[in-house]
């Protein structure tokens, strides 16, 4: 049968009832292309994914079923893989490619035969490439990181947009010390940071500053081979700069070392801090919750020893193995990367975009979105850095997050010593992945 049933544990967690196929035919659900996306159920983003699937069905006649999951997404995929019941399509982070490909979950993609593939950004195609140099996904969405700043606070303290890291420190200090919200209390911070270790957030956040200073976690050392570089002076300098914000200037929101992005978004919205280094996916949300006239988007300043650079991320359309709907998988991928699919995913200026920056080079973002602040993210993408195509990036990000979080949480910790230790662990991880 073409439709695979979800396992009982997943059925319970999703509260979804699915109908099996009989030998005499299939139900409409059984013929549906099952699409998993890492978004919260009933969220604006999940609704956008449904719009994309509905438009694909209208164009192709192929029925779809969208399953939106956020918490424990990878765990639930693993459970489905163990039962040989993977969904047909997964829309997930570019950084998850190595993990899924190394487990044999992904169909290889023939770039030349994928209709519209030649219209996609080459930078985005790199994020669809495995450690063996082959393609295992269709690029779908891109994003680069920039600073979302309280413009009204910056004007209140009489400062210009930061051009250097020193300027950034001064702005963060002013937001912390000079009562930018005017309530007569010292209750604001400069930076809001998701500095916890869950899903590697501390590393995820720090990476933009590391790249902006010309550093990196790994260095390519031949095809599929890498050397750990977490103790490189440029890397250490970036982590030290952020430790100084926690420990010397004390410009980071309280509790940051335990926070993930869900909490940090709320901290920014509540006016507890004024500088958030983050992707464009929260721009529409903050425009609505904070006020469009109160926020601005600024590029990450180039570091003192390198740059420019910032974190590059995105989502790919992954065609999963084991599907009996391979032609439908390919047609969905082609629709998702088409101008129509990209525009639906962008959702104009509204909240819920699942295409942050279009990867189809024929799509004019300025024609779809009127908010000029998106342009800063688009321009930053020109020097964005993706996670390298190691067999499994997840343990590298997590190990890095644990080490970086430790030096932010413990002001007595020596950053250079800690990064030497991290480099040793990353070297061991590369060896275990046979990528050194």
């Amino acid at each position: 049968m073409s439709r695979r049933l979800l396992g009982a544990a997943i059925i319970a967690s999703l509260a979804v009832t699915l109908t099996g196929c009989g030998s005499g035919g299939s139900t409409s659900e059984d013929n549906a292309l099952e699409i998993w996306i890492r978004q919260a159920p009933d969220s604006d983003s999940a609704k956008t994914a449904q719009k994309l699937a509905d438009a694909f069905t209208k164009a192709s006649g192929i029925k779809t079923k969208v399953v939106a999951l956020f918490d424990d997404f990878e765990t639930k995929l693993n459970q489905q893989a163990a039962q040989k019941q993977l969904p047909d399509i997964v829309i997930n982070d570019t950084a998850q490619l190595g993990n899924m490909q190394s487990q044999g979950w992904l169909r290889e993609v023939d770039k030349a035969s994928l209709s519209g593939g030649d219209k996609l950004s080459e930078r985005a195609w790199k994020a669809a490439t495995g450690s063996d140099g082959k393609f295992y996904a269709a690029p779908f969405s891109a994003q680069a990181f920039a600073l979302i700043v309280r413009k009204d606070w910056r004007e209140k303290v009489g400062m210009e947009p930061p051009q250097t890291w020193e300027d950034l420190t001064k702005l963060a200090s002013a937001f912390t010390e000079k009562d930018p919200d005017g309530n007569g209390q010292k209750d604001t911070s400069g930076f809001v940071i998701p500095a916890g270790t869950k899903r590697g957030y501390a590393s995820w956040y720090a990476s933009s500053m590391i790249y902006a200073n010309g550093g990196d976690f790994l260095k390519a050392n031949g095809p599929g081979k890498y050397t750990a570089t977490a103790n490189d002076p440029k890397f250490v300098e970036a982590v030290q700069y952020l430790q100084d914000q926690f420990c010397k200037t004390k410009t980071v929101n309280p509790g940051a070392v335990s926070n993930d992005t869900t909490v940090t978004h709320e901290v920014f919205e509540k006016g507890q801090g004024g500088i958030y280094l983050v992707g464009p996916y929260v721009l529409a949300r903050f425009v609505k919750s904070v006020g469009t006239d109160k926020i601005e988007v600024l590029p990450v300043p180039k570091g003192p020893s390198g740059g420019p650079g910032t974190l590059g991320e995105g989502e790919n359309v992954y065609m999963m193995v084991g599907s009996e709907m391979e032609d439908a998988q390919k047609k969905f991928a082609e629709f998702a990367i088409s101008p129509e699919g990209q525009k639906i995913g962008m959702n104009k200026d509204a909240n819920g975009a699942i295409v942050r920056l279009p990867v189809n080079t024929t799509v004019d973002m300025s024609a779809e979105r009127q908010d000029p602040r998106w342009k800063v993210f688009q321009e930053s993408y020109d020097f964005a850095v993706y996670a390298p195509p190691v067999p499994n990036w997840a343990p590298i990000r997590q190990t890095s997050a644990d080490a970086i979080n430790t030096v932010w949480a413990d002001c007595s910790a020596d950053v250079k010593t800690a990064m030497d230790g991290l480099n040793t662990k990353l070297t061991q991880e590369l060896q275990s992945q046979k990528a050194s």
Side-chain angles (χ1 to χ4, degrees), residues 314-327:
E315 286 74 37
N316 290 327
V317 172
Y318 298 101
M319 291 172 270
M320 312 300 281
V321 300
S323 173
E324 295 180 17
M325 303 181 72
E326 291 191 359
D327 185 59

Side-chain angles (χ1 to χ4, degrees), residues 8-88:
I10 305 303
I11 294 174
S13 69
L14 300 178
V16 174
T17 302
L18 302 178
T19 306
C21 298
S23 59
S26 316
T27 67
S28 60
E29 285 261 314
D30 291 329
N31 286 327
L33 187 76
E34 183 178 314
I35 303 165
W36 279 31
I37 185 166
R38 189 178 172 274
Q39 300 291 344
D42 298 320
S43 65
D44 290 335
S45 297
K47 292 173 184 176
T48 303
Q50 188 63 58
K51 289 178 186 176
L52 177 68
D54 290 345
F56 168 68
T57 296
K58 183 177 180 180
S60 67
I62 298 170
K63 295 173 183 177
T64 59
K65 178 176 180 58
V66 175
V67 177
L69 293 164
F70 188 75
D71 293 327
D72 302 319
F73 185 87
E74 285 80 19
T75 299
K76 290 168 182 174
L77 266 182
N78 271 295
Q79 291 171 337
Q80 292 302 106
Q83 299 175 54
K84 300 187 186 303
Q85 295 170 346
L86 285 165
D88 301 291

Side-chain angles (χ1 to χ4, degrees), residues 15-336:
V16 174
T17 302
L18 302 178
T19 306
C21 298
S23 59
S26 316
T27 67
S28 60
E29 285 261 314
D30 291 329
N31 286 327
L33 187 76
E34 183 178 314
I35 303 165
W36 279 31
I37 185 166
R38 189 178 172 274
Q39 300 291 344
D42 298 320
S43 65
D44 290 335
S45 297
K47 292 173 184 176
T48 303
Q50 188 63 58
K51 289 178 186 176
L52 177 68
D54 290 345
F56 168 68
T57 296
K58 183 177 180 180
S60 67
I62 298 170
K63 295 173 183 177
T64 59
K65 178 176 180 58
V66 175
V67 177
L69 293 164
F70 188 75
D71 293 327
D72 302 319
F73 185 87
E74 285 80 19
T75 299
K76 290 168 182 174
L77 266 182
N78 271 295
Q79 291 171 337
Q80 292 302 106
Q83 299 175 54
K84 300 187 186 303
Q85 295 170 346
L86 285 165
D88 301 291
I89 295 286
V90 170
I91 300 175
N92 198 12
D93 298 344
T94 55
Q96 289 295 325
L97 184 149
N99 180 35
M100 293 194 291
Q101 189 269 326
S102 65
Q103 297 187 71
W105 296 354
L106 305 181
R107 286 180 55 199
E108 185 180 342
V109 174
D110 181 357
K111 178 181 175 182
S113 71
L114 192 71
S115 179
D118 59 334
K119 305 299 183 184
L120 305 186
S121 159
E122 284 304 314
R123 185 181 293 270
W125 269 117
K126 288 180 180 178
T129 308
S131 58
D132 58 3
K134 298 177 181 179
F135 300 108
Y136 289 97
F140 176 61
S141 170
Q143 69 176 4
F145 282 55
L147 303 171
I148 298 183
V149 176
R150 285 293 298 263
K151 180 182 178 182
D152 56 334
W153 289 13
R154 181 179 61 75
E155 293 174 343
K156 175 78 179 298
V157 299
M159 299 186 71
E160 295 297 316
Q163 303 298 314
T164 66
W165 284 15
E166 183 180 2
D167 291 344
L168 191 57
T169 298
K170 290 178 180 177
L171 183 64
S173 296
F175 283 0
T176 305
E177 303 291 338
K178 295 185 177 181
D179 187 26
D181 61 359
N183 69 351
Q185 301 179 42
K186 191 176 177 181
D187 59 356
T188 56
S189 298
F191 295 97
V192 299
I193 298 179
T197 58
K198 180 182 178 181
R199 296 193 84 245
Y201 276 123
S203 173
W204 176 81
Y205 178 90
S207 59
S208 284
M209 298 300 287
I210 292 166
Y211 299 145
N213 200 40
D216 208 333
F217 296 82
L218 309 176
K219 179 179 70 174
N221 189 26
K225 303 298 181 182
Y226 297 88
T227 301
T229 55
N231 61 352
D232 178 88
K234 294 179 180 180
F235 189 106
V236 174
E237 185 176 33
V239 178
Q240 181 69 64
Y241 174 84
L242 290 167
Q243 189 199 51
D244 289 346
Q245 305 308 311
F246 280 93
C247 300
K248 292 184 179 180
T249 56
K250 301 185 186 303
T251 55
V252 181
N253 66 290
V257 292
S258 300
N259 290 351
D260 61 13
T261 52
T262 301
V263 175
T264 308
H265 296 345
E266 295 175 356
V267 170
F268 186 80
E269 288 175 314
K270 292 175 181 177
Q272 296 173 4
I275 303 170
Y276 194 179
L277 174 52
V278 70
Y281 58 94
V282 287
L283 178 58
R285 170 178 168 169
F286 291 165
V287 164
K288 182 177 180 180
S289 62
V290 179
T292 189
D293 58 329
K294 294 180 179 179
I295 60 173
E296 61 189 347
V297 178
L298 305 173
V300 179
K302 179 180 176 181
S305 300
T310 190
L311 175 61
E313 282 190 329
E315 286 74 37
N316 290 327
V317 172
Y318 298 101
M319 291 172 270
M320 312 300 281
V321 300
S323 173
E324 295 180 17
M325 303 181 72
E326 291 191 359
D327 185 59
Q329 286 177 307
K330 184 170 182 282
K331 286 180 178 178
F332 177 81
E334 291 172 340
F335 183 81

